[in-house]
């Protein structure tokens, strides 16, 4: 199989599996237990916290492990005080949009921040927000569908000056671009393990001020009382190892991904019916989304699947519903254009030969019979 869907999930790195196995087989102690087996598990979690903090430019004390990016996003928004206002962009992941909609039904006023046709938020939109400040603004760092990167550090500077708290969903950015929680100057940042060759079901919320953070779950006081529940030790260890590898390999991975994406983009530009989306915006090195005029993206996805190629026609959730991607509609595409979109998200093991084979297959599928 040619796997081009790394923004949906990545395969587990063998080295991550090796780091996890002892915690599934031998070191099964509860990290809250005081005896040696428990202390070993606790110490492994502490190491993972350090590894993740190093990758995302935070301190270990700022990292709260969660069950994934979805939980981290929900937790960040739940920190809103009663009836306080919230603003989110129109290109957020469903774990933000659905959570924000739920909060708006609980009397939190919700403002939507629009994007231009490249998927970018304009400075004027940020200035507007500062005039009637919501309590919290949530803007993703990199979009899962288009790969578009927002200038969060610049927005955060203006928003913080207006005493607005800032959350960024950095799930897709982690490990793909240099990332510094400190330099972004945000209050909350969400991360996920399975996008960086770590296990599924593990993530983190990075928080600037622990005292301004509210738990979603109550119980045994784990994660400094912010995320109750016995820790998923093996997954946390895997996330830490994946973070360590991403830190040491980031620049080599990116050079490889950029080269492959350039090759893909060049070839796609020669296909007359293809339009690359957000082509002039700064994007993740691994992500490329394009429309094919007059073609149903899901149909094309299924045809590619029959040929052994896995791609996405939008975010996983949107494609399951068969609805046009809200992200693409927010960028001004028509329903028909949005439904003709395909996303290629490359990974560290993809090769030049796979790109060339994909282009051949695509051209074959698009050529009239
Ligand atoms: C931008 C973004 N945020 C959040 C999530 C949710 O992360 P998880 O799958 O770890 O819950 C995803 C997953 O696709 C994502 O792409």
């Amino acid at each position: 199989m040619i796997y081009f869907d790394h923004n949906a999930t990545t395969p587990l790195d063998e080295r991550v599996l090796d780091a996890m196995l002892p915690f599934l087989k031998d070191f099964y102690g509860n990290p809250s237990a005081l005896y040696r087996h428990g202390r070993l598990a606790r110490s492994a979690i502490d190491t993972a916290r350090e590894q993740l903090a190093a990758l995302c430019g935070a301190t270990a004390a700022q990292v709260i492990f969660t069950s994934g990016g979805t939980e981290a996003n929900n937790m960040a928004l739940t920190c809103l005080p009663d009836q306080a206002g919230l603003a989110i962009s129109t290109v957020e992941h469903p774990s933000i949009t659905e959570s924000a909609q739920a909060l708006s039904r609980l009397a939190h006023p919700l403002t939507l921040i629009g994007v231009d046709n490249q998927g970018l938020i304009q400075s004027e939109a940020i200035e507007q927000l500062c005039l009637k400040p919501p309590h919290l603004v949530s803007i993703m760092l990199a979009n899962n569908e288009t790969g578009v990167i927002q200038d969060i550090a610049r927005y955060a500077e203006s928003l913080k000056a207006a005493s607005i708290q800032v959350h960024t969903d950095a799930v897709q950015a982690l490990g793909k671009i240099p990332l510094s929680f400190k330099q972004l100057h945000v209050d909350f940042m969400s991360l996920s393990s399975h996008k960086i060759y770590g296990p599924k079901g593990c993530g983190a919320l990075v928080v600037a001020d622990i005292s301004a953070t509210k738990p979603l779950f109550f119980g045994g006081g784990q994660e400094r009382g912010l995320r109750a529940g016995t820790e998923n030790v093996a997954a946390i260890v895997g996330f830490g190892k994946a973070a360590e590898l991403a830190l040491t390999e980031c620049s080599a991975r990116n050079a490889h991904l950029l080269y492959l994406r350039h090759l893909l983009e060049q070839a796609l530009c020669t296909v007359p019916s293809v339009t690359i989306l957000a082509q002039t915006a700064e994007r993740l090195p691994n992500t490329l989304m394009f429309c094919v005029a007059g073609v149903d993206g899901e149909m094309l996805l299924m045809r590619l699947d029959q040929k052994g190629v896995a791609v996405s026609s939008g975010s996983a959730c949107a494609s399951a519903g068969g609805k046009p991607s809200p992200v693409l509609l927010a960028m001004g595409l028509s329903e028909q254009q949005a439904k003709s979109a395909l996303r290629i998200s490359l990974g560290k093991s993809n090769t030049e030969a796979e790109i060339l084979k994909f282009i051949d297959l695509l051209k074959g599928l698009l050529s009239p019979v």
Side-chain angles (χ1 to χ4, degrees):
M1 178 181 53
I2 298 181
Y3 186 73
F4 281 167
D5 202 18
H6 292 81
N7 286 6
T9 196
T10 54
L12 193 69
D13 190 300
E14 281 288 332
R15 295 165 292 179
V16 171
L17 179 63
D18 288 344
M20 290 172 69
L21 279 175
F23 293 90
L24 290 167
K25 289 186 352 194
D26 305 318
F27 306 130
Y28 47 78
N30 188 318
S32 298
L34 295 179
Y35 44 81
R36 188 173 163 271
H37 242 48
R39 293 199 310 272
L40 264 170
R42 165 70 44 219
S43 146
I45 291 177
D46 289 344
T47 303
R49 208 184 298 282
E50 296 281 352
Q51 288 165 318
L52 182 59
L55 177 63
C56 71
T59 65
Q62 292 172 321
V63 174
I64 302 161
F65 285 114
T66 64
S67 68
T70 298
E71 185 188 324
N73 280 344
N74 275 265
M75 189 169 162
L77 300 200
T78 306
C79 293
L80 270 180
D82 282 352
Q83 299 184 0
L86 167 68
I88 65 167
S89 87
T90 49
V91 291
E92 298 299 312
H93 186 266
S95 52
I96 287 291
T97 52
E98 292 297 316
S99 173
Q101 294 295 347
L103 286 167
S104 81
R105 291 191 288 274
L106 296 173
H108 291 276
L110 176 62
T111 308
L112 295 178
I113 313 164
V115 295
D116 66 10
N117 64 4
Q118 297 296 299
L120 284 167
I121 290 171
Q122 298 300 296
S123 318
E124 299 80 63
I126 300 295
E127 283 160 23
Q128 278 270 293
L129 276 180
C130 297
L131 296 177
K132 197 170 170 266
H135 186 89
L136 175 73
V137 169
S138 178
I139 299 173
M140 71 199 329
L141 185 48
N143 187 268
N144 44 306
E145 297 184 47
T146 58
V148 169
I149 299 170
Q150 306 284 351
D151 193 350
I152 299 293
R154 194 159 57 88
Y155 307 153
E157 203 183 326
S158 314
L159 294 167
K160 305 280 307 162
S163 302
I164 302 172
Q165 288 207 324
V166 185
H167 164 250
T168 192
D169 173 349
V171 163
Q172 291 293 344
L174 184 70
K176 294 181 189 145
I177 53 173
L179 180 58
S180 166
F181 179 69
K182 193 164 170 237
Q183 283 171 15
L184 286 179
H185 290 299
V186 296
D187 300 280
F188 305 101
M189 180 167 83
S190 301
L191 307 171
S192 176
S193 153
H194 72 108
K195 312 290 185 181
I196 63 161
Y197 308 92
K200 294 169 183 57
C202 189
L205 183 67
V206 183
V207 300
D209 177 6
I210 289 277
S211 66
T213 312
K214 285 196 229 161
L216 273 180
F217 303 142
F218 299 87
Q222 288 88 349
E223 296 295 289
R224 280 155 294 152
L226 289 170
R227 208 291 177 174
T230 303
E231 298 89 338
N232 186 350
V233 182
I236 291 173
V237 166
F239 191 12
K241 183 67 187 177
E244 182 194 77
L245 295 169
L247 185 61
T248 50
E249 295 174 6
C250 185
S251 56
R253 286 183 193 177
N254 283 356
H256 175 65
L257 291 169
L258 270 175
Y259 170 72
L260 292 185
R261 195 189 68 189
H262 183 68
L263 201 67
L264 180 63
E265 200 156 324
Q266 295 280 94
L268 284 172
C269 285
T270 66
V271 185
S273 51
V274 165
T275 310
I276 313 271
L277 297 176
Q279 200 171 9
T280 62
E282 198 191 336
R283 284 168 292 154
L284 293 174
N286 77 319
T287 309
L288 193 152
M289 196 161 203
F290 60 96
C291 290
V292 193
V295 166
D296 180 76
E298 251 173 44
M299 192 73 84
L300 190 53
L301 178 155
M302 297 314 293
R303 295 242 165 87
L304 284 164
D305 182 38
Q306 283 164 1
K307 305 267 180 203
V309 184
V311 299
S312 165
S313 62
S315 79
C317 306
S319 59
K323 294 199 184 114
S325 147
V327 170
L328 302 186
L329 297 182
M331 288 165 62
L333 270 73
S334 68
E335 287 211 359
Q336 200 179 17
Q337 286 170 322
K339 280 190 165 182
S340 77
L342 276 194
R343 176 187 72 187
I344 308 291
S345 49
L346 305 168
K348 62 187 173 79
S349 302
N350 287 135
T351 61
E352 188 171 334
E354 288 178 325
I355 301 281
L356 300 177
K357 179 153 185 227
F358 168 74
I359 292 292
D360 260 7
L361 286 170
L362 186 74
K363 284 185 173 165
L365 289 171
L366 294 180
S367 62
V369 273

